[in-house]
Amino acid sequence: MAEETQVDYSLSNSDTLTKYKTAARIAHQVLETVTGWCVEGEKILTICERGDRLLDEEVGKVYKGKKISKGVAHPTTISPSSFVTPYTPLASDPADAAVVLKPGEVVKIQLGAQIDGFGTIVGDTIIIPSKENKDDEISGREADLLLATHYANELLLRLMIPPGLMSAGSEEEKKKATSEKPITQSKITQLLEKVVKSYDCNLVENTTSWVFERNEIEGKKKIVLAPSEGQKGEGVPEVGEAWGVEVGVSLGSGKVKTLENRPTLHRRTTTTYGLKRPSSRQILSEIVKKFGTFPFSLRQLDDERAAKVGVVECVRSNVVRQYEVIADKDGAAVSRLFTTMAITKNGLMLLSAPPSPDLSKFKTDKKITDAEILKILEQPISKSTGTKSKNKKKKKKPAKKAVEEDSEESSEEE
């Protein structure tokens, strides 16, 4: 009898990276399209529905004829100003279904795709066009919020690079750098707090980044920013891992509260339980078949109303987890970014990341002045491999340089 071949699903397998990159390309494409749909007066429900259809269409175009799972790694969600968690309303809930986007509103978009269980999720924050920002210029507190989130994200990515990975110099110097202890999670929070407080903002409590695995977006390791009592992270990032990196920033205190809105975002757990109701068993069967262990919205199931009933026992029995709708405790605007990245021997590979903002469009008198943070922001996130791409892309400025240029432009305006 022939021995069963052990499949290598690690990042060292080029097929794994190809699947991650394919899923990321789809996520980026759909994010760009969905962003264009976010205009004044558009219903959030309509955008979410269109976004999911587009995700399904694009996923259906790749790996045709291959016996692998593929689909949505995260449904399209559009979170209004003070909402912290991804929001995906149901057509059968009239009040939520009627919610429309308002001019000048801070809106979070999140979605993702998966190929063979390798999911990439991307999230961005935008300002709905209005008379005040019709020239794409953003000023005032909204500018502070988006800049704080951008630089906090840039800093967090650099702090997740394993010690010594980006070091240069002699072998002895590299060995010494590698032997250094990884930065603690409390230190990560302290440094990020300095960044956001430079813009008079606060981190959203319990914002969590998770290690990604095949068919799992909440692995054994996690980084928890601004943890509340009883919350803490586990483990440190290492080469060969993929991570879902999240940053949340608030114009308020950063403290959160649970809203009364119906939880519509769910995810299957690894718990097994003999469900009693036929409707619950039917819903669970559909969930397993369509989504595996990736998040989904109840509106993505065949019968939304039946899903609302059947999922109750699933949640109560812990075979399905529901994500409560969380918002800023003060009702203040919240910004959030989500990046899926891989840690390789050459540094960080950003698989799916929010688009780089045009910092010249942000007008504020606030800036980062902390020398330690500016030094970290100046560091690259990956080594140059020495290969030239056929399609030359504009070189990304070091984060520190961007901070300085942004400050200079704001001064010139004055």
Side-chain angles (χ1 to χ4, degrees):
M1 188 176 185
E3 291 186 9
E4 187 176 339
T5 304
Q6 189 74 21
V7 180
D8 178 13
Y9 290 117
S10 71
L11 289 177
S12 60
N13 183 348
S14 60
D15 286 345
T16 297
L17 269 178
T18 298
K19 290 168 182 174
Y20 266 126
K21 289 177 179 178
T22 302
R25 177 179 55 77
I26 293 171
H28 277 141
Q29 182 179 338
V30 177
L31 175 65
E32 182 179 2
T33 303
V34 169
T35 299
W37 293 338
C38 291
V39 295
E40 177 185 352
E42 191 66 44
K43 288 185 179 180
I44 290 179
L45 172 62
T46 301
I47 300 172
C48 290
E49 290 174 335
R50 292 176 69 190
D52 286 345
R53 284 197 295 269
L54 186 55
L55 278 170
D56 287 335
E57 289 172 10
E58 295 304 319
V59 168
K61 296 176 182 178
V62 300
Y63 287 88
K64 290 184 176 180
K66 304 289 185 180
K67 291 185 177 180
I68 60 173
S69 66
K70 56 181 183 177
V72 175
H74 193 285
T76 306
T77 58
I78 308 291
S79 304
S81 184
S82 65
F83 283 44
V84 172
T85 50
Y87 177 65
T88 168
L90 304 181
S92 55
D93 290 338
D96 287 347
V99 176
V100 298
L101 297 177
K102 302 171 184 175
E105 186 173 18
V106 178
V107 170
K108 284 76 65 182
I109 308 170
Q110 186 165 310
L111 52 85
Q114 64 91 4
I115 305 294
D116 198 19
F118 298 107
T120 61
I121 299 172
V122 64
D124 192 19
T125 296
I126 63 170
I127 307 293
I128 301 302
S130 65
K131 292 180 180 179
E132 286 70 25
N133 62 6
K134 60 182 178 180
D135 297 322
D136 292 331
E137 286 193 356
I138 298 174
S139 60
R141 295 297 284 143
E142 287 76 18
D144 294 338
L145 178 63
L146 296 193
L147 284 173
T149 312
H150 168 69
Y151 288 120
N153 186 57
E154 291 290 322
L155 185 66
L156 178 56
L157 289 171
R158 286 160 175 77
L159 295 177
M160 291 180 70
I161 299 173
L165 187 62
M166 300 296 294
S167 62
S170 66
E171 287 302 318
E172 186 177 341
E173 289 172 329
K174 291 179 181 178
K175 187 175 181 181
K176 183 180 179 182
T178 305
S179 64
E180 292 178 1
K181 289 185 178 180
I183 187 170
T184 64
Q185 296 205 18
S186 60
K187 180 65 173 178
I188 291 176
T189 290
Q190 289 173 17
L191 290 173
L192 264 66
E193 282 180 336
K194 286 184 179 181
V195 170
V196 300
K197 287 184 183 299
S198 297
Y199 294 93
D200 197 18
C201 297
N202 285 290
L203 291 174
V204 174
E205 65 176 342
N206 299 325
T207 301
T208 306
S209 298
W210 295 88
V211 69
F212 278 12
E213 299 166 3
R214 185 168 180 258
N215 294 314
E216 180 57 77
I217 61 166
E218 293 181 4
K220 296 176 182 178
K221 296 181 180 181
K222 61 181 178 179
I223 295 173
V224 182
L225 302 178
S228 60
E229 187 176 351
Q231 298 293 320
K232 66 176 184 177
E234 296 178 38
V236 295
E238 296 179 86
V239 172
E241 295 176 341
W243 279 77
V245 182
E246 184 171 1
V247 169
V249 179
S250 169
L251 285 178
S253 66
K255 301 298 181 183
V256 300
K257 63 180 179 181
T258 302
L259 299 181
E260 295 181 356
N261 300 62
R262 178 195 302 275
T264 61
L265 188 66
H266 295 73
R267 179 171 173 263
R268 184 169 68 90
T269 69
T270 56
T271 301
T272 56
Y273 180 82
L275 298 171
K276 297 181 174 65
R277 291 176 174 270
S279 59
S280 303
R281 293 195 295 269
Q282 182 179 344
I283 291 299
L284 181 61
S285 176
E286 185 182 354
I287 291 169
V288 171
K289 183 178 180 181
K290 285 186 173 181
F291 311 108
T293 54
F294 288 99
F296 62 92
S297 168
L298 292 180
R299 61 181 167 71
Q300 293 175 291
L301 298 172
D302 291 341
D303 188 330
E304 184 179 297
R305 292 184 182 278
K308 288 161 69 174
V309 176
V311 79
V312 173
E313 185 186 4
C314 296
V315 171
R316 189 168 56 237
S317 304
N318 199 35
V319 296
V320 169
R321 173 189 171 186
Q322 71 178 20
Y323 292 84
E324 302 292 340
V325 182
I326 306 295
D328 185 271
K329 191 174 183 179
D330 308 316
V334 169
S335 174
R336 189 161 46 79
L337 299 177
F338 198 106
T339 304
T340 303
M341 62 89 167
I343 307 175
T344 74
K345 63 181 181 180
N346 292 317
L348 303 188
M349 178 186 294
L350 302 186
L351 297 167
S352 60
S356 298
D358 181 353
L359 300 176
S360 67
K361 299 292 186 181
F362 295 87
K363 305 302 177 184
T364 178
D365 58 354
K366 300 179 179 66
K367 63 180 180 179
I368 300 169
T369 58
D370 187 278
E372 180 184 13
I373 289 171
L374 291 173
K375 184 178 179 180
I376 298 172
L377 289 174
E378 194 175 34
Q379 299 170 2
I381 62 171
S382 62
K383 300 175 186 176
S384 173
T385 58
T387 57
K388 293 183 179 180
S389 173
K390 291 181 181 179
N391 299 316
K392 291 184 179 180
K393 293 185 178 181
K394 187 177 180 182
K395 190 174 181 181
K396 188 177 180 181
K397 299 174 185 175
K400 177 187 174 183
K401 188 173 181 181
V403 173
E404 293 170 344
E405 290 185 3
D406 180 45
S407 300
E408 290 171 5
E409 286 162 359
S410 295
S411 299
E412 288 173 5
E413 286 293 316
E414 296 170 3

